[in-house]
Amino acid sequence: MTTQMFEGRGHAAVYQKYRFAPGEELQQTILAYLQEKKAVPAELVVDVGCGSGQGTRFLAEHFKKVVGTDISEAQIQEAKDTLSMPNVSYLVCPAEELPFQDASVDVLASFTAAHWFDIEKFMREVQRVVRPGGCVAISTYTVDMSLRYGDCSEKLTKIFRECWDQILKYSHNRLKFVLENYKEIFEALPFPDKKRITDIYDKIPMTVEGVVGYLESASPYQTFMKNDPEAAKSLLQETEKRMLETMGVSSRETPVEFWVRHVCVLGCK
């Protein structure tokens, strides 16, 4: 069964506020692959483990009918509460028990979620619901992140990574799939026509507040909070203070470039 890490309304609200949509390079990689495999136009697209709907809304811009699914009622409620296009709907269900008929899904996507699934059971569902000729796009951003701002990019990235390293001490063991660049997920995909791209770099426009909010939204940070709330809060406060001092600014709303590396597993049935 899916590992449940994003259940609380408080965590879901932080997730909705600070998690970013798929970046431009990742979007173009997925869309180009679907064009190449003639999977478009697609009638039904499913976003599994959709969280608060950032990836679902991207898909809705390009496809006729998009359904976001997630095991967390709180996440689905956040997705529903966010303004969406009329071709989007959301369902609460496990990734391993999708409420779709056999061979009914044209494109199945999952953004930064598949490492929480029971991989073997999920892949059986993928095999069942995706139609012949249909495609999958399973991606995640990695812990390979950096910040750019003026001539202090290197110092800023060092501050960010020092904080990230502290938070990652509280990682769930399922983050090993991310650290291994989704290699195991790629190998488990039961389609003969598949490929894994590990070097998709995206620039995400952020503010200092947004970067710190992203750290707060991460599942290891939420575990840190449960273990030692004072230390967890202090870490983020100190990190934000160091970032602002290094940049020579006082406003949390100061824009900064947040660079992330994505991994994407693509396949055609």
Side-chain angles (χ1 to χ4, degrees), residues 5-6 19 112 115-116 140-146 157-180 214-225 227 231-232 235-236 239 258 261:
M5 294 290 291
F6 305 89
R19 284 297 173 109
T112 316
H115 46 281
W116 299 114
T140 186
Y141 41 77
T142 68
V143 296
D144 184 4
M145 301 172 177
S146 61
T157 297
K158 183 173 183 287
I159 292 167
F160 174 83
R161 288 184 175 167
E162 284 173 358
C163 179
W164 198 216
D165 286 345
Q166 288 292 108
I167 291 169
L168 286 176
K169 291 176 182 177
Y170 295 87
S171 292
H172 193 282
N173 61 12
R174 297 195 70 81
L175 287 181
K176 68 180 182 180
F177 293 108
V178 177
L179 298 174
E180 294 167 356
Y214 165 75
L215 290 166
E216 183 185 356
S217 78
S219 60
Y221 181 80
Q222 296 295 315
T223 303
F224 188 7
M225 273 288 290
N227 279 269
L235 176 64
L236 289 194
T239 297
F258 188 55
R261 179 173 64 86

Side-chain angles (χ1 to χ4, degrees), residues 108-265:
L108 186 146
S110 184
F111 300 96
T112 316
H115 46 281
W116 299 114
F117 305 161
D118 181 316
I119 303 302
E120 185 179 345
K121 290 180 180 178
F122 171 62
M123 289 304 178
R124 283 205 294 268
E125 276 295 83
V126 170
Q127 179 76 306
R128 182 183 70 79
V129 303
V130 174
R131 67 163 175 82
C135 290
V136 300
I138 301 171
S139 67
T140 186
Y141 41 77
T142 68
V143 296
D144 184 4
M145 301 172 177
S146 61
L147 298 173
R148 296 183 193 175
Y149 182 87
D151 60 358
C152 62
S153 301
E154 194 172 321
K155 289 181 181 176
L156 267 186
T157 297
K158 183 173 183 287
I159 292 167
F160 174 83
R161 288 184 175 167
E162 284 173 358
C163 179
W164 198 216
D165 286 345
Q166 288 292 108
I167 291 169
L168 286 176
K169 291 176 182 177
Y170 295 87
S171 292
H172 193 282
N173 61 12
R174 297 195 70 81
L175 287 181
K176 68 180 182 180
F177 293 108
V178 177
L179 298 174
E180 294 167 356
N181 290 317
Y182 269 23
K183 182 174 183 288
E184 196 169 329
I185 289 171
F186 169 73
E187 290 170 350
L189 181 64
F191 297 171
D193 184 350
K194 60 184 180 179
K195 65 179 178 179
R196 180 174 63 118
I197 305 171
T198 62
D199 57 352
I200 303 166
Y201 290 90
D202 261 309
K203 178 179 73 173
I204 311 293
M206 282 270 207
T207 61
V208 173
E209 179 192 4
V211 172
V212 175
Y214 165 75
L215 290 166
E216 183 185 356
S217 78
S219 60
Y221 181 80
Q222 296 295 315
T223 303
F224 188 7
M225 273 288 290
K226 287 173 184 171
N227 279 269
D228 192 342
E230 291 306 314
K233 290 174 188 174
S234 177
L235 176 64
L236 289 194
Q237 289 168 354
E238 181 63 22
T239 297
E240 181 176 295
K241 181 184 175 191
R242 292 175 67 198
M243 286 177 62
L244 292 173
E245 288 175 351
T246 300
M247 295 164 69
V249 299
S250 58
S251 173
R252 306 175 74 222
E253 299 303 317
T254 304
V256 62
E257 290 181 10
F258 188 55
W259 283 83
V260 299
R261 179 173 64 86
H262 287 97
V263 171
C264 192
V265 172

Side-chain angles (χ1 to χ4, degrees), residues 46 48-49 69 93-101 105 108 122 125-126 128-129:
V46 177
V48 184
T69 75
C93 67
E96 304 84 358
E97 298 172 20
L98 299 172
F100 304 102
Q101 294 182 350
V105 175
L108 186 146
F122 171 62
E125 276 295 83
V126 170
R128 182 183 70 79
V129 303

